[in-house]
Amino acid sequence: MNEAAPIISDRDDFLKQLVAIPSLSGEEQEVARLLVRTMQSAGFCASVDEAGNAVGVREEPGPPGTPTRELILLGHMDTVPGAIPVRMEDGMLFGRGAVDAKGPLAAFVMAAAQATIPPGTRVVVIGAVEEESSSSRGARHIAGQYKPDACIIGEPGGWDGITIGYKGRLLLAYVLSRDMGHSAGQQSGVAEAAIAWWNGLAGFIQQYNAPREKLFDQLIPAIRELRLTSDGLRDTIRLEAGIRLPPDYDPEHLLGLARDFAGDATVSAHGHEPAWQSPRTSPLVTAFSAAIRARGAQPRVKRKTGTCDMNVVGPVWQCPIIAYGPGDSLLDHTPREHIILGDYHRSIGILVHVIERLFVDGKWSGTD
């Protein structure tokens, strides 16, 4: 096997630098430059691609005539809004993005730099843009650029957690505009109409969920936006609903129902992502389970009710794929977002184990 690339000198400082750079969706350029510089200094071939993703590659050629196995470590650089003062305190790093998902992304870079790459293996680390927006522009770009043998998505699930599936999503936009009337008049206002529409949709969802005990198998509705405007002659209301979808649920059926409830309002759909999940027998689940057990812990295999870039690339690549990364996902998007540095360190060790043992002699390796 080849020698490992030079190890980045201070893993905590690297993570702190990433978190300290604001990087809302569409504003990831400075973080991308830091990632590229860091990966280049650690021996990667690294650059920013056409979509703005930071991409770093390490490869160890195999014997002539043998195929190269490709492992993609796909994280994301962007965060949701909300400035949290960046600080290290009692073994924790606070800051927006520390958990979701710069912690997992930093662990990817550190592990890929530290690992001894097996012959016949290419490891590609990608920091994607716009994962936190419905565009998922970075993941959509790379979906057509690569065809990996395996993919690890950088999302928080705990250093001993393995996420094998994410629910799907559909965004529904309800818009109603009417001539203004007196509040004491007989015609209901646009706000009341929008609320009635939402209640009708929620009632159907409640009936659908009743016989389904597991949250992953249910429809999960949420109001994402509610805005009422008026020009003095007409009132207009916009309600955007996000519906989390279970596997194999037909979004057209839900859109049809939503329109049936809408009366004279218009309802449109966008941001659809299908649910995606890998089997527990995936070679990646086996490899991560072995690595976690080797460190004295019991692996926790889970499915999540949110979405991530797995929903974008999974249906295209059709390869073994799981999500892994340090951090408590309950802290995602919250004012308390922070990561335990010890968990970040442990996750790097787990990832090194997986990178070094996933492919041996050009074949899947590792048994639980």
PDB file of all heavy atoms in Angstrom, residues 315-351:
ATOM      1  N   PRO A 315     -30.494   7.875  -6.165  1.00  0.00           N
ATOM      2  CA  PRO A 315     -31.212   7.302  -7.311  1.00  0.00           C
ATOM      3  C   PRO A 315     -30.398   7.290  -8.600  1.00  0.00           C
ATOM      4  O   PRO A 315     -30.658   6.472  -9.487  1.00  0.00           O
ATOM      5  CB  PRO A 315     -32.430   8.234  -7.445  1.00  0.00           C
ATOM      6  CG  PRO A 315     -32.609   8.835  -6.089  1.00  0.00           C
ATOM      7  CD  PRO A 315     -31.221   8.995  -5.553  1.00  0.00           C
ATOM      8  N   VAL A 316     -29.412   8.191  -8.722  1.00  0.00           N
ATOM      9  CA  VAL A 316     -28.599   8.266  -9.939  1.00  0.00           C
ATOM     10  C   VAL A 316     -27.474   7.233  -9.899  1.00  0.00           C
ATOM     11  O   VAL A 316     -27.252   6.490 -10.863  1.00  0.00           O
ATOM     12  CB  VAL A 316     -28.020   9.679 -10.126  1.00  0.00           C
ATOM     13  CG1 VAL A 316     -27.133   9.741 -11.377  1.00  0.00           C
ATOM     14  CG2 VAL A 316     -29.138  10.706 -10.221  1.00  0.00           C
ATOM     15  N   TRP A 317     -26.762   7.169  -8.793  1.00  0.00           N
ATOM     16  CA  TRP A 317     -25.580   6.317  -8.718  1.00  0.00           C
ATOM     17  C   TRP A 317     -25.909   4.857  -8.450  1.00  0.00           C
ATOM     18  O   TRP A 317     -25.166   3.979  -8.865  1.00  0.00           O
ATOM     19  CB  TRP A 317     -24.619   6.854  -7.657  1.00  0.00           C
ATOM     20  CG  TRP A 317     -23.960   8.130  -8.064  1.00  0.00           C
ATOM     21  CD1 TRP A 317     -23.885   8.656  -9.321  1.00  0.00           C
ATOM     22  CD2 TRP A 317     -23.270   9.054  -7.214  1.00  0.00           C
ATOM     23  NE1 TRP A 317     -23.201   9.854  -9.313  1.00  0.00           N
ATOM     24  CE2 TRP A 317     -22.817  10.122  -8.022  1.00  0.00           C
ATOM     25  CE3 TRP A 317     -23.016   9.101  -5.844  1.00  0.00           C
ATOM     26  CZ2 TRP A 317     -22.092  11.199  -7.508  1.00  0.00           C
ATOM     27  CZ3 TRP A 317     -22.301  10.164  -5.330  1.00  0.00           C
ATOM     28  CH2 TRP A 317     -21.848  11.206  -6.157  1.00  0.00           C
ATOM     29  N   GLN A 318     -26.985   4.594  -7.714  1.00  0.00           N
ATOM     30  CA  GLN A 318     -27.392   3.218  -7.438  1.00  0.00           C
ATOM     31  C   GLN A 318     -26.243   2.377  -6.870  1.00  0.00           C
ATOM     32  O   GLN A 318     -26.076   1.198  -7.222  1.00  0.00           O
ATOM     33  CB  GLN A 318     -27.921   2.563  -8.726  1.00  0.00           C
ATOM     34  CG  GLN A 318     -29.173   3.212  -9.303  1.00  0.00           C
ATOM     35  CD  GLN A 318     -30.435   2.875  -8.508  1.00  0.00           C
ATOM     36  OE1 GLN A 318     -30.543   1.800  -7.928  1.00  0.00           O
ATOM     37  NE2 GLN A 318     -31.383   3.795  -8.494  1.00  0.00           N
ATOM     38  N   CYS A 319     -25.457   2.971  -5.997  1.00  0.00           N
ATOM     39  CA  CYS A 319     -24.332   2.275  -5.384  1.00  0.00           C
ATOM     40  C   CYS A 319     -24.559   2.183  -3.878  1.00  0.00           C
ATOM     41  O   CYS A 319     -25.446   2.867  -3.343  1.00  0.00           O
ATOM     42  CB  CYS A 319     -23.022   3.006  -5.678  1.00  0.00           C
ATOM     43  SG  CYS A 319     -22.876   4.631  -4.879  1.00  0.00           S
ATOM     44  N   PRO A 320     -23.790   1.365  -3.166  1.00  0.00           N
ATOM     45  CA  PRO A 320     -23.879   1.392  -1.703  1.00  0.00           C
ATOM     46  C   PRO A 320     -23.652   2.805  -1.189  1.00  0.00           C
ATOM     47  O   PRO A 320     -22.684   3.470  -1.576  1.00  0.00           O
ATOM     48  CB  PRO A 320     -22.766   0.439  -1.267  1.00  0.00           C
ATOM     49  CG  PRO A 320     -22.622  -0.510  -2.406  1.00  0.00           C
ATOM     50  CD  PRO A 320     -22.855   0.330  -3.638  1.00  0.00           C
ATOM     51  N   ILE A 321     -24.551   3.268  -0.321  1.00  0.00           N
ATOM     52  CA  ILE A 321     -24.467   4.648   0.154  1.00  0.00           C
ATOM     53  C   ILE A 321     -25.059   4.730   1.559  1.00  0.00           C
ATOM     54  O   ILE A 321     -26.117   4.156   1.828  1.00  0.00           O
ATOM     55  CB  ILE A 321     -25.194   5.605  -0.827  1.00  0.00           C
ATOM     56  CG1 ILE A 321     -25.085   7.069  -0.394  1.00  0.00           C
ATOM     57  CG2 ILE A 321     -26.655   5.214  -0.995  1.00  0.00           C
ATOM     58  CD1 ILE A 321     -25.577   8.044  -1.465  1.00  0.00           C
ATOM     59  N   ILE A 322     -24.351   5.403   2.443  1.00  0.00           N
ATOM     60  CA  ILE A 322     -24.868   5.661   3.789  1.00  0.00           C
ATOM     61  C   ILE A 322     -24.452   7.088   4.160  1.00  0.00           C
ATOM     62  O   ILE A 322     -23.661   7.721   3.460  1.00  0.00           O
ATOM     63  CB  ILE A 322     -24.337   4.651   4.837  1.00  0.00           C
ATOM     64  CG1 ILE A 322     -22.798   4.685   4.934  1.00  0.00           C
ATOM     65  CG2 ILE A 322     -24.807   3.243   4.511  1.00  0.00           C
ATOM     66  CD1 ILE A 322     -22.266   5.511   6.051  1.00  0.00           C
ATOM     67  N   ALA A 323     -25.002   7.584   5.263  1.00  0.00           N
ATOM     68  CA  ALA A 323     -24.571   8.882   5.794  1.00  0.00           C
ATOM     69  C   ALA A 323     -23.877   8.640   7.128  1.00  0.00           C
ATOM     70  O   ALA A 323     -24.298   7.800   7.921  1.00  0.00           O
ATOM     71  CB  ALA A 323     -25.752   9.823   5.974  1.00  0.00           C
ATOM     72  N   TYR A 324     -22.806   9.401   7.335  1.00  0.00           N
ATOM     73  CA  TYR A 324     -22.038   9.249   8.571  1.00  0.00           C
ATOM     74  C   TYR A 324     -21.398  10.589   8.923  1.00  0.00           C
ATOM     75  O   TYR A 324     -20.975  11.337   8.038  1.00  0.00           O
ATOM     76  CB  TYR A 324     -20.935   8.192   8.393  1.00  0.00           C
ATOM     77  CG  TYR A 324     -20.060   8.048   9.624  1.00  0.00           C
ATOM     78  CD1 TYR A 324     -20.497   7.329  10.720  1.00  0.00           C
ATOM     79  CD2 TYR A 324     -18.813   8.672   9.697  1.00  0.00           C
ATOM     80  CE1 TYR A 324     -19.720   7.220  11.864  1.00  0.00           C
ATOM     81  CE2 TYR A 324     -18.032   8.569  10.830  1.00  0.00           C
ATOM     82  CZ  TYR A 324     -18.494   7.839  11.910  1.00  0.00           C
ATOM     83  OH  TYR A 324     -17.729   7.744  13.047  1.00  0.00           O
ATOM     84  N   GLY A 325     -21.300  10.841  10.213  1.00  0.00           N
ATOM     85  CA  GLY A 325     -20.601  12.041  10.656  1.00  0.00           C
ATOM     86  C   GLY A 325     -20.820  12.288  12.130  1.00  0.00           C
ATOM     87  O   GLY A 325     -21.843  11.893  12.706  1.00  0.00           O
ATOM     88  N   PRO A 326     -19.865  12.966  12.759  1.00  0.00           N
ATOM     89  CA  PRO A 326     -20.004  13.293  14.176  1.00  0.00           C
ATOM     90  C   PRO A 326     -21.043  14.378  14.391  1.00  0.00           C
ATOM     91  O   PRO A 326     -21.382  15.123  13.473  1.00  0.00           O
ATOM     92  CB  PRO A 326     -18.609  13.797  14.547  1.00  0.00           C
ATOM     93  CG  PRO A 326     -18.111  14.423  13.269  1.00  0.00           C
ATOM     94  CD  PRO A 326     -18.641  13.534  12.173  1.00  0.00           C
ATOM     95  N   GLY A 327     -21.543  14.459  15.621  1.00  0.00           N
ATOM     96  CA  GLY A 327     -22.492  15.515  15.965  1.00  0.00           C
ATOM     97  C   GLY A 327     -23.872  14.969  16.241  1.00  0.00           C
ATOM     98  O   GLY A 327     -24.270  13.920  15.729  1.00  0.00           O
ATOM     99  N   ASP A 328     -24.609  15.705  17.044  1.00  0.00           N
ATOM    100  CA  ASP A 328     -25.981  15.379  17.415  1.00  0.00           C
ATOM    101  C   ASP A 328     -26.926  16.106  16.462  1.00  0.00           C
ATOM    102  O   ASP A 328     -27.004  17.339  16.480  1.00  0.00           O
ATOM    103  CB  ASP A 328     -26.232  15.801  18.864  1.00  0.00           C
ATOM    104  CG  ASP A 328     -27.627  15.468  19.353  1.00  0.00           C
ATOM    105  OD1 ASP A 328     -28.466  15.027  18.538  1.00  0.00           O
ATOM    106  OD2 ASP A 328     -27.885  15.656  20.556  1.00  0.00           O
ATOM    107  N   SER A 329     -27.650  15.365  15.640  1.00  0.00           N
ATOM    108  CA  SER A 329     -28.506  16.002  14.642  1.00  0.00           C
ATOM    109  C   SER A 329     -29.657  16.788  15.270  1.00  0.00           C
ATOM    110  O   SER A 329     -30.268  17.624  14.596  1.00  0.00           O
ATOM    111  CB  SER A 329     -29.066  14.949  13.673  1.00  0.00           C
ATOM    112  OG  SER A 329     -29.804  13.971  14.360  1.00  0.00           O
ATOM    113  N   LEU A 330     -29.949  16.550  16.549  1.00  0.00           N
ATOM    114  CA  LEU A 330     -30.972  17.357  17.216  1.00  0.00           C
ATOM    115  C   LEU A 330     -30.529  18.812  17.381  1.00  0.00           C
ATOM    116  O   LEU A 330     -31.348  19.688  17.651  1.00  0.00           O
ATOM    117  CB  LEU A 330     -31.306  16.762  18.589  1.00  0.00           C
ATOM    118  CG  LEU A 330     -31.992  15.396  18.577  1.00  0.00           C
ATOM    119  CD1 LEU A 330     -32.212  14.906  19.999  1.00  0.00           C
ATOM    120  CD2 LEU A 330     -33.313  15.448  17.816  1.00  0.00           C
ATOM    121  N   LEU A 331     -29.236  19.070  17.213  1.00  0.00           N
ATOM    122  CA  LEU A 331     -28.711  20.435  17.307  1.00  0.00           C
ATOM    123  C   LEU A 331     -28.680  21.149  15.961  1.00  0.00           C
ATOM    124  O   LEU A 331     -28.357  22.340  15.904  1.00  0.00           O
ATOM    125  CB  LEU A 331     -27.300  20.416  17.903  1.00  0.00           C
ATOM    126  CG  LEU A 331     -27.189  19.891  19.339  1.00  0.00           C
ATOM    127  CD1 LEU A 331     -25.722  19.738  19.733  1.00  0.00           C
ATOM    128  CD2 LEU A 331     -27.906  20.808  20.308  1.00  0.00           C
ATOM    129  N   ASP A 332     -29.004  20.429  14.870  1.00  0.00           N
ATOM    130  CA  ASP A 332     -29.049  21.054  13.542  1.00  0.00           C
ATOM    131  C   ASP A 332     -29.938  22.295  13.574  1.00  0.00           C
ATOM    132  O   ASP A 332     -31.062  22.253  14.094  1.00  0.00           O
ATOM    133  CB  ASP A 332     -29.638  20.091  12.509  1.00  0.00           C
ATOM    134  CG  ASP A 332     -28.739  18.915  12.195  1.00  0.00           C
ATOM    135  OD1 ASP A 332     -27.695  18.783  12.842  1.00  0.00           O
ATOM    136  OD2 ASP A 332     -29.122  18.120  11.309  1.00  0.00           O
ATOM    137  N   HIS A 333     -29.434  23.388  13.016  1.00  0.00           N
ATOM    138  CA  HIS A 333     -30.233  24.599  12.779  1.00  0.00           C
ATOM    139  C   HIS A 333     -30.668  25.300  14.071  1.00  0.00           C
ATOM    140  O   HIS A 333     -31.484  26.216  14.004  1.00  0.00           O
ATOM    141  CB  HIS A 333     -31.484  24.297  11.936  1.00  0.00           C
ATOM    142  CG  HIS A 333     -31.194  23.655  10.617  1.00  0.00           C
ATOM    143  ND1 HIS A 333     -32.177  23.442   9.664  1.00  0.00           N
ATOM    144  CD2 HIS A 333     -30.050  23.180  10.068  1.00  0.00           C
ATOM    145  CE1 HIS A 333     -31.643  22.864   8.597  1.00  0.00           C
ATOM    146  NE2 HIS A 333     -30.347  22.691   8.835  1.00  0.00           N
ATOM    147  N   THR A 334     -30.164  24.888  15.224  1.00  0.00           N
ATOM    148  CA  THR A 334     -30.602  25.478  16.492  1.00  0.00           C
ATOM    149  C   THR A 334     -29.607  26.540  16.965  1.00  0.00           C
ATOM    150  O   THR A 334     -28.455  26.565  16.532  1.00  0.00           O
ATOM    151  CB  THR A 334     -30.737  24.412  17.588  1.00  0.00           C
ATOM    152  OG1 THR A 334     -29.423  23.963  17.982  1.00  0.00           O
ATOM    153  CG2 THR A 334     -31.552  23.225  17.109  1.00  0.00           C
ATOM    154  N   PRO A 335     -30.020  27.409  17.894  1.00  0.00           N
ATOM    155  CA  PRO A 335     -29.080  28.393  18.461  1.00  0.00           C
ATOM    156  C   PRO A 335     -28.009  27.760  19.340  1.00  0.00           C
ATOM    157  O   PRO A 335     -27.051  28.430  19.705  1.00  0.00           O
ATOM    158  CB  PRO A 335     -29.990  29.311  19.298  1.00  0.00           C
ATOM    159  CG  PRO A 335     -31.380  29.038  18.856  1.00  0.00           C
ATOM    160  CD  PRO A 335     -31.403  27.623  18.385  1.00  0.00           C
ATOM    161  N   ARG A 336     -28.163  26.481  19.682  1.00  0.00           N
ATOM    162  CA  ARG A 336     -27.220  25.789  20.574  1.00  0.00           C
ATOM    163  C   ARG A 336     -26.242  24.913  19.807  1.00  0.00           C
ATOM    164  O   ARG A 336     -25.585  24.055  20.401  1.00  0.00           O
ATOM    165  CB  ARG A 336     -27.979  24.923  21.586  1.00  0.00           C
ATOM    166  CG  ARG A 336     -29.059  25.663  22.364  1.00  0.00           C
ATOM    167  CD  ARG A 336     -29.836  24.739  23.283  1.00  0.00           C
ATOM    168  NE  ARG A 336     -30.374  23.584  22.574  1.00  0.00           N
ATOM    169  CZ  ARG A 336     -31.461  23.608  21.807  1.00  0.00           C
ATOM    170  NH1 ARG A 336     -32.111  24.756  21.602  1.00  0.00           N
ATOM    171  NH2 ARG A 336     -31.898  22.507  21.228  1.00  0.00           N
ATOM    172  N   GLU A 337     -26.141  25.081  18.494  1.00  0.00           N
ATOM    173  CA  GLU A 337     -25.351  24.163  17.677  1.00  0.00           C
ATOM    174  C   GLU A 337     -23.902  24.096  18.156  1.00  0.00           C
ATOM    175  O   GLU A 337     -23.208  25.092  18.237  1.00  0.00           O
ATOM    176  CB  GLU A 337     -25.400  24.573  16.204  1.00  0.00           C
ATOM    177  CG  GLU A 337     -24.715  23.568  15.291  1.00  0.00           C
ATOM    178  CD  GLU A 337     -24.951  23.862  13.809  1.00  0.00           C
ATOM    179  OE1 GLU A 337     -25.585  24.889  13.492  1.00  0.00           O
ATOM    180  OE2 GLU A 337     -24.484  23.055  12.984  1.00  0.00           O
ATOM    181  N   HIS A 338     -23.454  22.881  18.453  1.00  0.00           N
ATOM    182  CA  HIS A 338     -22.068  22.662  18.861  1.00  0.00           C
ATOM    183  C   HIS A 338     -21.724  21.195  18.656  1.00  0.00           C
ATOM    184  O   HIS A 338     -22.603  20.335  18.591  1.00  0.00           O
ATOM    185  CB  HIS A 338     -21.849  23.045  20.331  1.00  0.00           C
ATOM    186  CG  HIS A 338     -22.613  22.195  21.297  1.00  0.00           C
ATOM    187  ND1 HIS A 338     -23.908  22.483  21.659  1.00  0.00           N
ATOM    188  CD2 HIS A 338     -22.271  21.061  21.957  1.00  0.00           C
ATOM    189  CE1 HIS A 338     -24.339  21.567  22.516  1.00  0.00           C
ATOM    190  NE2 HIS A 338     -23.367  20.687  22.719  1.00  0.00           N
ATOM    191  N   ILE A 339     -20.443  20.918  18.560  1.00  0.00           N
ATOM    192  CA  ILE A 339     -19.974  19.553  18.366  1.00  0.00           C
ATOM    193  C   ILE A 339     -18.983  19.207  19.457  1.00  0.00           C
ATOM    194  O   ILE A 339     -18.182  20.057  19.880  1.00  0.00           O
ATOM    195  CB  ILE A 339     -19.339  19.385  16.960  1.00  0.00           C
ATOM    196  CG1 ILE A 339     -19.137  17.908  16.626  1.00  0.00           C
ATOM    197  CG2 ILE A 339     -18.029  20.147  16.840  1.00  0.00           C
ATOM    198  CD1 ILE A 339     -18.799  17.687  15.156  1.00  0.00           C
ATOM    199  N   ILE A 340     -19.047  17.972  19.959  1.00  0.00           N
ATOM    200  CA  ILE A 340     -18.078  17.490  20.945  1.00  0.00           C
ATOM    201  C   ILE A 340     -16.816  17.083  20.193  1.00  0.00           C
ATOM    202  O   ILE A 340     -16.860  16.214  19.309  1.00  0.00           O
ATOM    203  CB  ILE A 340     -18.666  16.308  21.736  1.00  0.00           C
ATOM    204  CG1 ILE A 340     -19.901  16.763  22.520  1.00  0.00           C
ATOM    205  CG2 ILE A 340     -17.621  15.725  22.681  1.00  0.00           C
ATOM    206  CD1 ILE A 340     -20.663  15.623  23.185  1.00  0.00           C
ATOM    207  N   LEU A 341     -15.704  17.707  20.519  1.00  0.00           N
ATOM    208  CA  LEU A 341     -14.478  17.479  19.760  1.00  0.00           C
ATOM    209  C   LEU A 341     -14.004  16.038  19.872  1.00  0.00           C
ATOM    210  O   LEU A 341     -13.442  15.480  18.920  1.00  0.00           O
ATOM    211  CB  LEU A 341     -13.396  18.455  20.212  1.00  0.00           C
ATOM    212  CG  LEU A 341     -13.685  19.919  19.855  1.00  0.00           C
ATOM    213  CD1 LEU A 341     -12.683  20.844  20.535  1.00  0.00           C
ATOM    214  CD2 LEU A 341     -13.662  20.129  18.344  1.00  0.00           C
ATOM    215  N   GLY A 342     -14.209  15.406  21.019  1.00  0.00           N
ATOM    216  CA  GLY A 342     -13.833  14.009  21.150  1.00  0.00           C
ATOM    217  C   GLY A 342     -14.575  13.109  20.177  1.00  0.00           C
ATOM    218  O   GLY A 342     -14.001  12.150  19.636  1.00  0.00           O
ATOM    219  N   ASP A 343     -15.847  13.406  19.923  1.00  0.00           N
ATOM    220  CA  ASP A 343     -16.621  12.631  18.943  1.00  0.00           C
ATOM    221  C   ASP A 343     -16.112  12.882  17.529  1.00  0.00           C
ATOM    222  O   ASP A 343     -16.071  11.961  16.698  1.00  0.00           O
ATOM    223  CB  ASP A 343     -18.101  12.991  19.035  1.00  0.00           C
ATOM    224  CG  ASP A 343     -18.743  12.497  20.319  1.00  0.00           C
ATOM    225  OD1 ASP A 343     -18.090  11.709  21.045  1.00  0.00           O
ATOM    226  OD2 ASP A 343     -19.884  12.909  20.614  1.00  0.00           O
ATOM    227  N   TYR A 344     -15.750  14.106  17.255  1.00  0.00           N
ATOM    228  CA  TYR A 344     -15.140  14.451  15.956  1.00  0.00           C
ATOM    229  C   TYR A 344     -13.862  13.649  15.753  1.00  0.00           C
ATOM    230  O   TYR A 344     -13.638  13.052  14.681  1.00  0.00           O
ATOM    231  CB  TYR A 344     -14.892  15.960  15.935  1.00  0.00           C
ATOM    232  CG  TYR A 344     -13.959  16.499  14.893  1.00  0.00           C
ATOM    233  CD1 TYR A 344     -14.188  16.307  13.534  1.00  0.00           C
ATOM    234  CD2 TYR A 344     -12.846  17.265  15.274  1.00  0.00           C
ATOM    235  CE1 TYR A 344     -13.328  16.847  12.586  1.00  0.00           C
ATOM    236  CE2 TYR A 344     -11.997  17.821  14.346  1.00  0.00           C
ATOM    237  CZ  TYR A 344     -12.227  17.608  12.999  1.00  0.00           C
ATOM    238  OH  TYR A 344     -11.378  18.156  12.068  1.00  0.00           O
ATOM    239  N   HIS A 345     -13.010  13.571  16.778  1.00  0.00           N
ATOM    240  CA  HIS A 345     -11.765  12.801  16.676  1.00  0.00           C
ATOM    241  C   HIS A 345     -12.064  11.321  16.444  1.00  0.00           C
ATOM    242  O   HIS A 345     -11.417  10.676  15.609  1.00  0.00           O
ATOM    243  CB  HIS A 345     -10.930  12.962  17.947  1.00  0.00           C
ATOM    244  CG  HIS A 345     -10.583  14.372  18.264  1.00  0.00           C
ATOM    245  ND1 HIS A 345     -10.163  14.774  19.512  1.00  0.00           N
ATOM    246  CD2 HIS A 345     -10.589  15.499  17.495  1.00  0.00           C
ATOM    247  CE1 HIS A 345      -9.930  16.076  19.504  1.00  0.00           C
ATOM    248  NE2 HIS A 345     -10.192  16.534  18.291  1.00  0.00           N
ATOM    249  N   ARG A 346     -13.024  10.765  17.184  1.00  0.00           N
ATOM    250  CA  ARG A 346     -13.353   9.346  17.027  1.00  0.00           C
ATOM    251  C   ARG A 346     -13.876   9.048  15.627  1.00  0.00           C
ATOM    252  O   ARG A 346     -13.570   8.003  15.035  1.00  0.00           O
ATOM    253  CB  ARG A 346     -14.379   8.926  18.081  1.00  0.00           C
ATOM    254  CG  ARG A 346     -13.767   8.643  19.451  1.00  0.00           C
ATOM    255  CD  ARG A 346     -14.805   8.131  20.431  1.00  0.00           C
ATOM    256  NE  ARG A 346     -15.601   9.217  20.979  1.00  0.00           N
ATOM    257  CZ  ARG A 346     -15.284   9.890  22.082  1.00  0.00           C
ATOM    258  NH1 ARG A 346     -14.184   9.583  22.752  1.00  0.00           N
ATOM    259  NH2 ARG A 346     -16.062  10.861  22.524  1.00  0.00           N
ATOM    260  N   SER A 347     -14.659   9.978  15.076  1.00  0.00           N
ATOM    261  CA  SER A 347     -15.201   9.741  13.740  1.00  0.00           C
ATOM    262  C   SER A 347     -14.098   9.703  12.686  1.00  0.00           C
ATOM    263  O   SER A 347     -14.203   8.947  11.706  1.00  0.00           O
ATOM    264  CB  SER A 347     -16.228  10.830  13.384  1.00  0.00           C
ATOM    265  OG  SER A 347     -15.619  12.078  13.111  1.00  0.00           O
ATOM    266  N   ILE A 348     -13.049  10.488  12.872  1.00  0.00           N
ATOM    267  CA  ILE A 348     -11.917  10.443  11.938  1.00  0.00           C
ATOM    268  C   ILE A 348     -11.295   9.057  11.950  1.00  0.00           C
ATOM    269  O   ILE A 348     -10.990   8.472  10.897  1.00  0.00           O
ATOM    270  CB  ILE A 348     -10.881  11.520  12.297  1.00  0.00           C
ATOM    271  CG1 ILE A 348     -11.479  12.923  12.074  1.00  0.00           C
ATOM    272  CG2 ILE A 348      -9.607  11.351  11.462  1.00  0.00           C
ATOM    273  CD1 ILE A 348     -10.630  14.053  12.625  1.00  0.00           C
ATOM    274  N   GLY A 349     -11.110   8.494  13.146  1.00  0.00           N
ATOM    275  CA  GLY A 349     -10.559   7.152  13.236  1.00  0.00           C
ATOM    276  C   GLY A 349     -11.442   6.110  12.561  1.00  0.00           C
ATOM    277  O   GLY A 349     -10.944   5.193  11.890  1.00  0.00           O
ATOM    278  N   ILE A 350     -12.765   6.229  12.739  1.00  0.00           N
ATOM    279  CA  ILE A 350     -13.696   5.306  12.087  1.00  0.00           C
ATOM    280  C   ILE A 350     -13.563   5.406  10.575  1.00  0.00           C
ATOM    281  O   ILE A 350     -13.497   4.392   9.857  1.00  0.00           O
ATOM    282  CB  ILE A 350     -15.144   5.624  12.512  1.00  0.00           C
ATOM    283  CG1 ILE A 350     -15.338   5.400  14.019  1.00  0.00           C
ATOM    284  CG2 ILE A 350     -16.138   4.798  11.703  1.00  0.00           C
ATOM    285  CD1 ILE A 350     -15.224   3.979  14.477  1.00  0.00           C
ATOM    286  N   LEU A 351     -13.511   6.614  10.068  1.00  0.00           N
ATOM    287  CA  LEU A 351     -13.417   6.817   8.618  1.00  0.00           C
ATOM    288  C   LEU A 351     -12.097   6.286   8.061  1.00  0.00           C
ATOM    289  O   LEU A 351     -12.071   5.692   6.967  1.00  0.00           O
ATOM    290  CB  LEU A 351     -13.575   8.306   8.287  1.00  0.00           C
ATOM    291  CG  LEU A 351     -14.999   8.844   8.412  1.00  0.00           C
ATOM    292  CD1 LEU A 351     -15.002  10.360   8.553  1.00  0.00           C
ATOM    293  CD2 LEU A 351     -15.846   8.419   7.209  1.00  0.00           C
TER     294      LEU A 351
END
